[in-house]
Amino acid sequence: IEIIASKRNVIRDFKKSPEDLQIVLENLLDRRRKLPRWDVYEYLPPSTDQLHQTRNETLNGNEQNKSSRIGNKEIEKSKKENKMSYTERKLRERRDMYLEATNLTAPHHRLATVLLAHLSDHCAKTSNPLPLYVGWEKVLEAGMMPMERTLSTSLYVLSLDEGKESDRSDKGDRDVVSEVAMFHDALYEPTEKTIALLVKSLVGRGDAAGAE
């Protein structure tokens, strides 16, 4: 991350003072946890069936009758909207907790998110997934919302590490690739890549029914 931040184009793009950049760098490089750990499931919405049921319980009688008449397409659209707002709401909640715990500002948080996007691009160019395991923990801890392109790039790079027995100390036995894929699909439209990765993960865990 220090290599990324030292690049001229990065500093120029952000137009940040050296002091701000140094504050963000120190925060990203600090491996000490600032908050109790949240895993990826803290950000994922309940099942769509449960979510739709909860939504219906908040509607009055007329709205329930109206919702029962809309087609399947509108129901699916409603589920997706609720899913998106749930994940974004949890990210905002965690971000606010993180800013309070670290005394960082919202601009600092945005700068950290963009720096991690540049880190993802750098790892893709160098075919080195290892820094992304640390970066992923920062995303979860700080409630960051990476761009769709950043998550897609991260998935590509992390997939390069699948099946290898190299140093896995930063992720242990976790399936980080599937975590990033689930996070991607909670925020953005699922892709063939994310679906394939999640199916592969389910099959690997012996959940053939879930994979279907």
Side-chain angles (χ1 to χ4, degrees):
I1 193 70
E2 289 177 304
I3 295 175
I4 303 301
S6 66
K7 290 186 176 181
R8 234 180 255 179
N9 66 311
V10 173
I11 298 175
R12 183 181 65 248
D13 289 346
F14 299 144
K15 297 181 180 178
K16 296 291 180 180
S17 69
E19 292 79 11
D20 285 335
L21 194 57
Q22 187 60 37
I23 290 172
V24 172
L25 273 178
E26 289 176 359
N27 179 265
L28 290 176
L29 293 171
D30 188 353
R31 300 289 291 274
R32 294 174 296 178
R33 191 169 292 282
K34 312 301 189 305
L35 294 169
R37 187 175 183 276
W38 276 22
D39 62 24
V40 69
Y41 297 100
E42 295 286 349
Y43 298 103
L44 302 182
S47 69
T48 52
D49 290 338
Q50 178 184 349
L51 199 61
H52 192 49
Q53 179 182 355
T54 301
R55 176 178 178 274
N56 280 341
E57 288 174 354
T58 65
L59 299 174
N60 60 35
N62 291 336
E63 289 173 327
Q64 288 183 1
N65 291 334
K66 181 179 179 181
S67 68
S68 66
R69 293 194 297 269
I70 63 178
N72 289 335
K73 184 175 181 180
E74 289 299 315
I75 292 175
E76 290 303 317
K77 179 180 179 182
S78 176
K79 289 179 182 179
K80 179 182 176 184
E81 289 173 351
N82 278 317
K83 180 181 71 170
M84 293 288 286
S85 63
Y86 179 91
T87 302
E88 291 174 351
R89 186 167 63 251
K90 296 297 286 187
L91 285 168
R92 285 195 294 269
E93 176 187 340
R94 183 65 170 186
R95 178 201 63 190
D96 292 344
M97 293 167 57
Y98 189 79
L99 295 182
E100 182 177 357
T102 60
N103 292 320
L104 294 177
T105 65
H108 288 148
H109 191 270
R110 288 193 294 271
L111 176 57
T113 303
V114 176
L115 280 175
L116 287 180
H118 281 274
L119 175 65
S120 180
D121 291 338
H122 179 75
C123 289
K125 291 177 181 178
T126 58
S127 299
N128 180 16
L130 295 181
L132 292 183
Y133 294 123
V134 179
W136 175 237
E137 284 302 314
K138 287 294 183 181
V139 168
L140 295 177
E141 184 183 27
M144 296 181 185
M145 184 174 170
M147 296 183 297
E148 181 177 12
R149 184 183 68 81
T150 299
L151 290 173
S152 296
T153 301
S154 297
L155 281 171
Y156 161 73
V157 181
L158 290 168
S159 297
L160 300 176
D161 200 34
E162 286 189 300
K164 293 183 179 179
E165 298 299 328
S166 56
D167 180 13
R168 296 173 184 273
S169 58
D170 287 320
K171 70 170 186 172
D173 295 329
R174 289 165 51 191
D175 188 349
V176 176
V177 175
S178 67
E179 288 184 19
V180 178
M182 287 187 290
F183 190 78
H184 173 283
D185 290 358
L187 287 171
Y188 306 109
E189 195 71 27
T191 66
E192 291 184 7
K193 178 69 172 178
T194 59
I195 293 171
L197 288 170
L198 290 174
V199 169
K200 182 179 179 180
S201 177
L202 289 168
V203 171
R205 295 200 300 266
D207 188 357
E212 293 178 359

